[in-house]
Amino acid sequence: TVKKLTIILIVVIYVASVVVVGVFGLKAIPVDERYPVNAISFVESVDEDGTEHYFKYGGVELQKKTENGKLVYAANFSFRDAPDAMPINYNITPTNASDKSVDITVISRSADGCYELTRSITGAYYIKLNKVEGKSGSSVTLLIKAADGSGVSVQMRLTAWDR
């Protein structure tokens, strides 16, 4: 009879647990849900007709170009229009990305000493193009890459001239 009671008790507990799970269900709670970066853009605003306007450097709006099969945002401006360091502005998509930080590296430059790339305590990047003796202009191409490991990146080329 003890064996019978033990078996009946196990069956009752089993049936009760199936009923409880069936009625209330189980909800998985994500422990660390991560949202990767999908895109980095330089769009500052969008008109009602869908026209995108990009951030300006040296008073000149970036232009979206394809060079050697790669998307590059470029601006050509005068040294006199950009005498100081300019913030490198960008937008991260999605806006709820887990890690919105970026790493910025120089992938090409026109001459040694033609630029100063600095990073503030808050993580913001600034760039200043410098005149180089014997050169009529300075150019630098930056690779802006998401730091979350998603592999998302974009290139930006800034060129300043004596005009």
Side-chain angles (χ1 to χ4, degrees), residues 9-24:
L9 184 62
I10 290 173
V11 169
V12 168
I13 291 173
Y14 174 76
V15 169
S17 66
V18 169
V19 169
V20 167
V21 170
V23 170
F24 297 108

Side-chain angles (χ1 to χ4, degrees), residues 41-113:
S41 76
F42 298 107
V43 176
E44 183 174 29
S45 64
V46 180
D47 290 342
E48 289 180 13
D49 65 358
T51 303
E52 294 180 334
H53 296 280
Y54 301 102
F55 290 111
K56 293 181 180 179
Y57 291 88
V60 176
E61 187 174 323
L62 286 170
Q63 299 295 312
K64 190 176 183 178
K65 302 177 178 188
T66 302
E67 297 176 357
N68 301 324
K70 292 190 178 189
L71 182 62
V72 178
Y73 292 85
N76 297 321
F77 50 88
S78 171
F79 279 115
R80 72 175 178 269
D81 294 329
D84 301 315
M86 301 171 287
I88 298 176
N89 297 312
Y90 55 86
N91 293 312
I92 297 291
T93 305
T95 55
N96 67 340
S98 300
D99 182 359
K100 294 181 183 178
S101 61
V102 297
D103 294 320
I104 299 180
T105 54
V106 174
I107 55 176
S108 70
R109 64 184 191 279
S110 60
D112 287 337

